[in-house]
Amino acid sequence: FSNPPEIRSRLMLGVAVAGLGANIVSAWVLSRGGGHQHDLNTRGAFLHVIGDLLGSVATIVAAIIIMATGWTKADPILSVVIGGLIVFSAWKLLKEAVDILLEATPKDIDPQAIRSALKRIPGVAEIHDLHVWTVTSGIVAASAHLEITRVRPWHDILEEASHVLADQFGIAHTTLQPEDY
């Protein structure tokens, strides 16, 4: 800000337009198939490309301002604005990554609701040591000990419990252990 270098605004504009084109193509490729909505790595790459794309737009705007007015502070000011937008958008991604690393229960899953649903299965008397966590983006796992009354075979209870977890809560990876009630 205090001592900006000499800026060749026409060259700056040309490079920024080329960068914008490359970033549009990259964003399009990463957005195909919806992977950036479910996969943490793809979303991180997509956010990086969007940040670069915004940087290219800001550079184009700054180059035009500099060419029209000679006001060189437009470049660092717009850079700070884009940097702030990138930090803001990366915060959610960082929180999700930390939740995965800490094996936190996903916010949209209520363990009490899982416990209640499992207790409604004939033959299940009690549930303890219930744990639900995110293995990676979009993959939730659960484990629990089911105290069973032996009114029906364990295999039938296991099959029904697995279906309840998958259908009602989106949990496809389960480890359920039977125990005598």
Side-chain angles (χ1 to χ4, degrees), residues 92-112:
K92 183 179 176 185
L93 185 74
L94 178 63
K95 279 181 55 177
E96 186 177 341
V98 168
D99 283 349
I100 290 171
L101 292 172
L102 294 177
E103 296 183 347
T105 301
K107 289 179 179 53
D108 60 334
I109 294 181
D110 178 11
Q112 282 306 110

Side-chain angles (χ1 to χ4, degrees), residues 26-27 30 36 39-52 93:
S26 297
L30 287 170
H36 68 288
D39 181 81
L40 193 63
N41 292 328
T42 305
R43 192 169 340 135
F46 182 74
L47 285 175
H48 181 85
V49 168
I50 293 299
D52 285 351
L93 185 74

Side-chain angles (χ1 to χ4, degrees), residues 116-131:
S116 296
L118 290 174
K119 283 183 85 170
R120 284 192 296 271
I121 296 171
V124 176
E126 289 295 327
I127 294 103
H128 62 92
D129 291 328
L130 173 63
H131 302 283

